[in-house]
Amino acid sequence: MKNLAGHNISIFLFQFVLRKNAISFVLNESIAEDLYPEIEEQIQPLTQACSETLMRHRHLCHEEIIMDGNILVDNCFEVMLSAGLGKHFAEREKQNLFNDAHKIANLLMEVMDRRTKELEQGTYPGPQYVTPKIQRTQSTNKGLEALGRKRQQSPWDTNEIYDLSRLNPDDLPKDVLVRKGYDHRGHCLAFEHKRLGDLGRIILTYIGKDKTLVEAELSKDNPDTLDEKQKVLEEIVSTVEFNLRTIVKDI
């Protein structure tokens, strides 16, 4: 069996596979049966973040498998994108994507190591029925928020820290709540409205020379309220632009 780069593999770990309007996270079946609940909880926000990044580039992929992760015959882990896809990524975005793919791999290898010890000690409880899904849940959102806060503390992003305190709650539209989000492009702020629900996200990316790119993504939840949510999100973008003195890019 070979990976996307054509290298021989000894253990298949995972693939991100393109579907009609989505991406599926395909996990090694034996490992999936042995997933510990706490490991699965850690994997979910990582797969969510990876899938969102890959979805933005899916139109440039001409294969069914857009990214895979495997242990090669030399026992090294390798993550690969579909041929030619990597050149379309911003370097920071690609590095963050690969970093999270490595974190997923480390968690899966931890599962294998722990289960091996249980088999040796005679304490293995048997396979479990687990169906990994890429979807946003309250637990996943909390995991993404935790990842975002952890990134903000990283020395890698020392010059790109955007403190939520810069956003005065009184400046935001009424009934709007803000929390830390997570995105491979840069720092992410997620917004929610008490009545309208999830509004969407704003991603802040440092582009040098004291400039920051602001990208706004409107949540498609509750289609009947999209127009209202868009107006509120536009107000938020204006507030962020003013407070952070950034440039705005419509997406």
Side-chain angles (χ1 to χ4, degrees), residues 56-177:
R56 290 193 295 271
H57 297 81
R58 63 167 296 157
H59 64 288
L60 300 168
C61 179
H62 305 294
E63 301 177 55
E64 183 181 17
I65 301 172
I66 191 169
M67 186 172 79
D68 68 359
N70 302 278
I71 298 176
L72 304 182
V73 293
D74 61 1
N75 289 325
C76 292
F77 171 73
E78 184 174 55
V79 57
M80 292 297 302
L81 288 167
S82 175
L85 188 61
K87 65 183 180 183
H88 299 289
F89 282 74
E91 188 58 35
R92 174 65 61 84
E93 181 184 25
K94 182 167 64 174
Q95 187 60 57
N96 286 332
L97 172 66
F98 283 177
N99 286 345
D100 281 351
H102 276 265
K103 291 176 184 176
I104 293 172
N106 287 336
L107 289 168
L108 297 179
M109 287 186 278
E110 179 183 340
V111 171
M112 290 190 290
D113 290 342
R114 288 171 62 178
R115 288 307 192 197
T116 297
K117 291 180 181 178
E118 289 174 349
L119 285 168
E120 293 173 348
Q121 297 168 359
T123 58
Y124 178 57
Q128 306 174 59
Y129 179 76
V130 179
T131 305
K133 296 180 180 179
I134 299 176
Q135 60 183 2
R136 278 187 175 271
T137 63
Q138 191 63 29
S139 175
T140 302
N141 285 336
K142 288 181 179 179
L144 290 168
E145 183 175 359
L147 289 173
R149 293 189 181 282
K150 185 175 181 180
R151 171 188 288 174
Q152 195 174 45
Q153 299 169 0
S154 170
W156 178 276
D157 290 328
T158 299
N159 296 324
E160 305 175 32
I161 293 177
Y162 304 96
D163 190 346
L164 286 178
S165 64
R166 295 189 185 188
L167 283 177
N168 188 334
D170 293 334
D171 292 336
L172 293 174
K174 184 180 179 181
D175 293 333
V176 170
L177 304 174

Side-chain angles (χ1 to χ4, degrees), residues 209-222:
K209 297 182 180 180
D210 298 322
K211 291 184 178 180
T212 301
L213 176 67
V214 175
E215 297 179 89
E217 295 182 348
L218 178 67
S219 170
K220 298 301 192 297
D221 292 347
N222 302 323

Side-chain angles (χ1 to χ4, degrees), residues 13 31 44 52 79 99 134 140 148 156 162 170 182-183 187 192 204 210 223 233:
L13 292 181
I31 300 176
Q44 284 178 345
E52 290 175 355
V79 57
N99 286 345
I134 299 176
T140 302
W156 178 276
Y162 304 96
D170 293 334
Y182 184 71
D183 190 280
H187 291 280
E192 184 177 346
L204 310 169
D210 298 322
L233 189 59

